[in-house]
Amino acid sequence: MSSQDVLQNASTLASYNVVLQVMFRVLTFFLNAFTLRFVSKELIGVVNVRLTLLYSTLVFLSREAFRKACLSGGSGKSHNWRQVINLLWLTFPLGLIWASLLVCVWLWLLEVPDPKAIPYYGPAVCLFASAAVQELLAEPLWVLAQAHMFVRLKVVAESLAMVAKCSVTVVLVVCARQWGLYIFSLAQLIYTGFLVLCYVVYFLRFLGSEKATQMCFPLLRVGDLLPSRADGEPLINWTLARLTWSFYKQSFLKQILTEGERYVMTFLNVLSFGDQGVYDIVNNLGSMVARFIFLPIEESFYIFFAKVLERGRSVKSQKQEDVAIAAEVLERLLKLVLVIGLIIAVFGYAYSHLALDIYGGSLLSSGAGPTLLRCYSCYVLLLAVNGVTECFVFAAMSQEEVDKYNVVMLGLSVSFLSLSYMLTWWAGGVGFILANCLNMGLRITHSLLYIHRYFRSSQWTPLRGLLPSPLLLLALGLSAVITALSQAVFCCDSGWLFRLVHVAVGAACLAFVLAAVVLTETRLVLFVRTQLLPSYRKKHT
């Protein structure tokens, strides 16, 4: 498969993932808005912080390192897939071990919520852990699908699972509110069950089909999806196993950096369950764009960079055509996420109060919610740049460099936890966001230095993508001033007519900014149209 084909497949995957994440965020958005009317913010705090942290920690520590290692250079011809499948099945027993340890911590070491206000905490912990272990059953199938660019499978599977989860949650919240945490636990089990079922059904139909034969799929029978050993070859690929171990050591630190504020809230009790619930709602609102645009781009283009670049080799020792494509794509991605991040930061300040008032009423807009969301809008800009830079760095690093970076991650983790604890006592929930900003700035600096060194001896300078045009900066600056004045005059205690005027002012400013992008960032616009919009690409290929 040529570099251009890999780019098109990665772009298609990113596009479908963006659509998928938009749908997820919209469903979750309305689901949270709905449940806010029926359950307490304390219950939401326990579900969205305490139990979701258990689930994400278990899943991340069990599979993330395997995914990164097995997708490196992951074409069907470059791997012995029997050995890769064997390696991937280790995620399930590893998940059982982590489930046993984490359930004990969540039940016996952490503060147990008041059973009168938040009933069935113990069973909910066990059910969330079971849901995470259940999801690991699909891990070999997920990696196979990602490595061979089965882009629609992920979209269909996760869409059906999310629709099922939301439907169950709504029905039980309305009809059986007294079930408490059982509602969300059962919904999570149904979500992971649908995921596994979709992947199993797809591969049962796909293996041995004419399509599989035409694309020379490396597995022939359903039995090949199970652990097995061929005569004369090792049980697993030990090179991949060592790379997995390098990523595994890093995964502990990355999980702390990713979910650090939840760990501080959970283990140090710096916020009450109710405050945790408000913070999590604001965090979800603020991270919507990061999750449904930036995260799919990061996941999809990590696969692109890992396939196009040879891990651990210098620019001069690789195919120059491949390096040129990688550099150009990196520059365009940096410019794309920078523009989106700047727009969010500018308009987030003036429209945070209105967004929270519409979404949750005075429960969210009367307290620290607007300040939290404004700070988070600035943090999204750092999230955007870090996602793209790290996706390139992790795809290009050698195993030795990954091991060295683990030391850097250890220092970042310690500093982040310390900053989170101190800043939260000083500034409440805003302290978490400030600590995240400082930490993200350090990670971006490390990645930028690596990229600069990587391309230093070549003709390519992809970091130019971080330099927006002067006209765009002017448009953003004017929009920031105008929308801030509109916020002070029209929003948000003067009735719906004044709110509509405030929205209209923002729409006009946004149109001005987008016009500046179209006029000055023509290469970026062309990249988005030809690579990230599937319908346009199909018409012109």
Side-chain angles (χ1 to χ4, degrees):
M1 185 181 293
S2 68
S3 299
Q4 197 62 43
D5 291 335
V6 175
L7 172 59
Q8 289 191 0
N9 286 334
S11 301
T12 302
L13 181 59
S15 303
Y16 280 116
N17 280 344
V18 167
V19 173
L20 179 67
Q21 291 297 327
V22 168
M23 188 190 73
F24 281 8
R25 290 303 105 198
V26 169
L27 283 174
T28 306
F29 180 88
F30 286 111
L31 179 64
N32 286 337
F34 178 81
T35 54
L36 274 172
R37 272 69 179 175
F38 290 87
V39 300
S40 66
K41 61 182 181 180
E42 287 77 15
L43 185 65
I44 291 178
V46 172
V47 172
N48 290 355
V49 177
R50 177 75 67 88
L51 296 179
T52 301
L53 180 64
L54 168 65
Y55 174 85
S56 64
T57 301
L58 201 163
V59 168
F60 191 93
L61 294 180
S62 301
R63 76 184 184 192
E64 182 67 15
F66 292 86
R67 286 186 171 185
K68 283 190 175 295
C70 295
L71 287 174
S72 297
S75 66
K77 296 181 180 179
S78 62
H79 278 333
N80 181 328
W81 278 102
R82 186 192 304 273
Q83 295 177 334
V84 174
I85 294 295
N86 292 341
L87 180 63
L88 288 169
W89 272 109
L90 293 178
T91 58
F92 183 72
L94 184 62
L96 291 175
I97 295 172
W98 275 117
S100 302
L101 294 174
L102 293 175
V103 165
C104 293
V105 171
W106 256 247
L107 289 179
W108 298 328
L109 296 184
L110 298 180
E111 176 190 359
V112 177
D114 182 2
K116 294 181 180 179
I118 306 171
Y120 312 118
Y121 172 75
V125 168
C126 297
L127 289 174
F128 264 79
S130 300
V133 173
Q134 180 175 253
E135 185 173 344
L136 295 175
L137 291 171
E139 193 58 24
L141 308 182
W142 186 93
V143 171
L144 272 173
Q146 290 292 105
H148 293 87
M149 298 293 181
F150 294 169
V151 294
R152 291 180 178 83
L153 173 57
K154 180 180 179 181
V155 174
V156 172
E158 296 193 14
S159 300
L160 291 176
M162 181 56 72
V163 170
K165 175 182 177 180
C166 291
S167 301
V168 169
T169 303
V170 168
V171 171
L172 293 181
V173 163
V174 174
C175 301
R177 202 181 317 170
Q178 69 278 7
W179 287 14
L181 292 176
Y182 274 132
I183 296 172
F184 303 94
S185 304
L186 293 174
Q188 192 67 27
L189 276 170
I190 289 173
Y191 172 78
T192 57
F194 261 84
L195 275 182
V196 175
L197 181 63
C198 288
Y199 277 95
V200 169
V201 170
Y202 179 86
F203 277 97
L204 286 177
R205 295 171 59 88
F206 175 77
L207 292 179
S209 66
E210 183 179 349
K211 181 180 178 181
T213 304
Q214 290 175 352
M215 65 181 295
C216 300
F217 195 74
L219 305 182
L220 303 177
R221 304 179 304 275
V222 175
D224 293 337
L225 298 173
L226 301 175
S228 60
R229 182 174 186 172
D231 296 334
E233 66 178 27
L235 183 63
I236 61 175
N237 183 325
W238 290 106
T239 300
L240 276 183
R242 287 190 291 270
L243 183 60
T244 301
W245 175 241
S246 295
F247 279 123
Y248 194 76
K249 290 181 289 185
Q250 186 187 101
S251 64
F252 287 90
L253 305 175
K254 187 172 181 181
Q255 177 66 4
I256 291 175
L257 294 175
T258 303
E259 301 280 8
E261 66 269 20
R262 285 185 169 85
Y263 286 115
V264 173
M265 282 189 281
T266 298
F267 287 91
L268 300 181
N269 298 321
V270 293
L271 296 176
S272 66
F273 288 121
D275 290 338
Q276 289 180 28
V278 172
Y279 176 85
D280 186 75
I281 293 169
V282 172
N283 179 67
N284 285 333
L285 282 173
S287 63
M288 279 181 67
V289 176
R291 292 184 181 183
F292 69 61
I293 294 181
F294 301 144
L295 184 59
I297 288 175
E298 178 184 350
E299 289 178 346
S300 303
F301 282 94
Y302 171 79
I303 299 173
F304 164 73
F305 290 128
K307 286 175 174 289
V308 169
L309 300 174
E310 296 185 52
R311 182 181 293 278
R313 297 186 63 180
S314 66
V315 168
K316 292 184 177 180
S317 62
Q318 303 189 51
K319 290 182 180 180
Q320 296 305 291
E321 179 186 355
D322 291 348
V323 176
I325 293 177
E328 182 180 359
V329 170
L330 177 59
E331 181 179 347
R332 299 292 175 270
L333 290 177
L334 287 174
K335 181 62 67 68
L336 175 64
V337 298
L338 180 72
V339 169
I340 297 174
L342 286 171
I343 291 174
I344 293 170
V346 166
F347 289 90
Y349 177 85
Y351 290 89
S352 293
H353 189 285
L354 179 60
L356 290 177
D357 194 59
I358 294 174
Y359 185 64
S362 59
L363 174 67
L364 298 180
S365 63
S366 60
T371 303
L372 284 172
L373 191 54
R374 285 168 184 150
C375 293
Y376 206 98
S377 299
C378 298
Y379 174 54
V380 166
L381 174 60
L382 298 177
L383 271 178
V385 176
N386 180 72
V388 172
T389 54
E390 282 198 347
C391 107
F392 177 86
V393 168
F394 289 149
M397 277 182 172
S398 65
Q399 180 181 333
E400 292 75 19
E401 288 172 324
V402 172
D403 289 333
K404 290 180 181 178
Y405 187 61
N406 289 338
V407 179
V408 176
M409 294 282 279
L410 176 60
L412 291 173
S413 302
V414 173
S415 65
F416 172 70
L417 292 176
S418 302
L419 283 171
S420 296
Y421 183 73
M422 292 185 293
L423 291 175
T424 303
W425 280 113
W426 171 62
V430 174
F432 282 123
I433 302 175
L434 295 177
N436 273 313
C437 289
L438 293 172
N439 180 265
M440 201 62 66
L442 293 175
R443 290 170 66 178
I444 291 172
T445 301
H446 176 274
S447 297
L448 293 181
L449 290 174
Y450 180 91
I451 294 170
H452 174 71
R453 289 194 302 267
Y454 188 84
F455 289 101
R456 181 171 49 192
S457 59
S458 71
Q459 58 183 309
W460 299 287
T461 54
L463 294 182
R464 289 183 304 180
L466 294 175
L467 300 174
S469 67
L471 179 60
L472 176 58
L473 289 177
L474 176 62
L476 288 167
L478 289 174
S479 297
V481 174
I482 293 171
T483 54
L485 291 174
S486 175
Q487 153 80 16
V489 174
F490 298 113
C491 192
C492 286
D493 301 318
S494 304
W496 279 103
L497 180 59
F498 287 94
R499 295 184 182 189
L500 290 175
V501 173
H502 183 45
V503 172
V505 170
C509 290
L510 180 59
F512 177 46
V513 171
L514 295 178
V517 172
V518 172
L519 290 174
T520 61
E521 304 292 353
T522 53
R523 298 171 69 185
L524 172 62
V525 173
L526 180 63
F527 176 77
V528 172
R529 290 171 63 186
T530 57
Q531 298 299 332
L532 297 181
L533 297 179
S535 58
Y536 180 92
R537 186 167 61 249
K538 288 177 181 178
K539 293 178 182 178
H540 293 80
T541 56

